[in-house]
Amino acid sequence: MEIGIDSFAAIFPDPVTGKLPSATDRMADLLEEVEIADRVGLDVFGIGEHHRAEFLDSAPAIILAAAAARTRQIRLTSAVTVLSAADPVRVFQEFATLDLISKGRAEIVVGRGSFVEAFPLFGLDTRAYDELFAEKLDLFLKLGETTNITWGGRYRPALRGEGVFPRPHQPRLPLWVGVGGTPASFARAGTLGLPLMVAIIGGSFERFRPLVDLYREAGLRAGHPPEKLKVGVHAMGFVGETDAEARDSFFPGWAHLTGTIGRERGWPAPTRHQFDDMASPEGAFLIGDPTTVAAKMLKLNESLGGVSRITFQMSTAALDTAAMKRSIELLGTDVAPLVREAP
């Protein structure tokens, strides 16, 4: 099982003073987090894509390129690229360039996105939310197959044999499809034979098993071998010296972000009781000391019939950057060996 980190480059005001930290300092901290993850032997680091004041990740390929120059082994990916609101040709060029800089460590996770700010920002209609993604995914996949491409669609001007450069270092850029809870998205990824990255940010792991089964069944029906149908999970996670320390470090940032987004969407205010329930053995938060977190990861793996990758969304703990850096260290030095050595 591969183990890694996903970050949204969250930037939150100080809970006491209300003052927002320097974006420059927060970006420096983020790049240090990637360096730590590389040093302690984690497998992958992902940067999300958002176009909101709470996050600094509107240009993930640039952040990943900076990280590539500072690291040696860790794979670098998006988490996720909102392909529906982007030009697939430009995205391909950016990640092919990242692959050259990193000498073959680039990956990409594409999805429709759980926020819609990118659509009006780039002049797109949210009513075409799914159609845009399906068409642009088709183009992106074809870009990986050939340098000079002939392609036509509804939402982007046609290509008539133009060359798309540069080409990546790897024979083909690894691509995952990021999904939430929509059955059609799971089935589409399976039919295409693409690895699946499931965002599980609430509820329980078990409730996603029917959707993962749907993905695998769709893939097998389409003729893809089982080993090609990889499943990854992106989950809220944090490691501390004790369970209590981990929860106390993660909760303030989680409550701030969840409360901010919740007010926009009409959700009730988050509570500590709700958070502790999600961090309990039955909840979907991978939060606790190394033994607790490792046991929960193994349970996740069993619940979903085997997973190839688990990535921790830690950036809501950005209120305490020292604790977050220590959490990354513990994930690599203490948690990963327990998981990798389990029978």
Side-chain angles (χ1 to χ4, degrees):
M1 180 193 297
E2 295 177 327
I3 300 170
I5 308 289
D6 286 334
S7 176
F8 296 165
I11 181 166
F12 301 142
D14 184 283
V16 177
T17 66
K19 183 179 178 180
L20 199 66
S22 159
T24 302
D25 290 344
R26 176 66 190 107
M27 190 63 73
D29 282 333
L30 173 59
L31 292 173
E32 186 178 349
E33 290 160 21
V34 188
E35 289 183 85
I36 294 169
D38 183 51
R39 187 172 66 246
V40 299
L42 292 176
D43 299 295
V44 62
F45 203 107
I47 302 293
E49 181 192 339
H50 301 83
H51 302 269
R52 299 174 55 94
E54 298 91 353
F55 307 111
L56 300 176
D57 61 349
S58 63
I62 293 178
I63 300 173
L64 292 167
R70 297 166 177 245
T71 55
R72 291 180 177 273
Q73 297 180 335
I74 197 165
R75 297 193 68 78
L76 302 165
T77 185
S78 59
V80 305
T81 295
V82 186
L83 192 61
S84 311
D87 181 350
V89 173
R90 195 60 175 150
V91 172
F92 182 89
Q93 291 174 324
E94 290 171 349
F95 278 83
T97 303
L98 171 64
D99 203 45
L100 296 176
I101 294 170
S102 66
K103 298 181 180 178
R105 292 185 283 130
E107 298 186 4
I108 185 168
V109 181
V110 299
R112 299 182 302 176
S114 58
F115 295 87
V116 297
E117 288 84 2
F119 289 82
L121 185 64
F122 298 114
L124 298 165
D125 190 343
T126 55
R127 290 175 295 183
Y129 182 73
D130 190 65
E131 293 87 346
L132 280 164
F133 178 71
E135 178 176 296
K136 292 184 176 186
L137 177 58
D138 175 69
L139 173 54
F140 193 90
L141 291 172
K142 288 182 170 59
L143 290 167
E145 297 172 354
T146 182
T147 301
N148 295 80
I149 182 170
T150 299
W151 177 92
R154 178 180 176 188
Y155 296 101
R156 188 204 185 280
L159 293 165
R160 298 182 175 86
E162 292 87 350
V164 178
F165 304 101
R167 306 308 295 178
H169 176 86
Q170 299 173 89
R172 190 160 187 150
L173 277 173
L175 181 143
W176 299 63
V177 176
V179 297
T182 306
S185 295
F186 284 78
R188 172 164 51 205
T191 300
L192 293 171
L194 296 172
L196 185 76
M197 180 58 66
V198 188
I200 302 179
I201 58 173
S204 67
F205 299 123
E206 289 81 2
R207 74 184 181 92
F208 283 84
R209 180 59 184 266
L211 293 169
V212 170
D213 288 344
L214 174 64
Y215 160 74
R216 290 177 171 135
E217 291 163 4
L220 293 174
R221 281 198 305 271
H224 301 293
E227 61 271 16
K228 191 176 180 181
L229 302 172
K230 298 193 296 185
V231 175
V233 172
H234 159 103
M236 295 287 184
F238 197 78
V239 191
E241 305 290 348
T242 66
D243 288 352
E245 178 189 292
R247 293 186 186 195
D248 290 344
S249 295
F250 196 80
F251 174 74
W254 175 84
H256 175 83
L257 181 60
T258 304
T260 300
I261 295 171
R263 284 190 294 273
E264 297 175 4
R265 300 183 179 184
W267 300 344
T271 67
R272 181 59 189 252
H273 176 77
Q274 178 188 8
F275 172 82
D276 286 338
D277 185 58
M278 294 305 306
S280 73
E282 303 306 317
F285 289 179
L286 301 170
I287 297 175
D289 70 16
T291 302
T292 295
V293 172
K296 234 177 161 179
M297 292 173 70
L298 293 172
K299 179 184 177 183
L300 184 166
N301 182 61
E302 181 181 0
S303 297
L304 297 185
V307 298
S308 299
R309 176 179 291 181
I310 297 177
T311 56
F312 283 55
Q313 204 325 37
M314 289 186 183
S315 60
T316 53
L319 293 174
D320 188 344
T321 55
M324 185 156 63
K325 291 171 186 177
R326 178 58 178 156
S327 178
I328 295 170
E329 289 181 342
L330 288 170
L331 182 60
T333 61
D334 291 29
V335 176
L338 292 174
V339 174
R340 290 168 180 157
E341 295 167 8

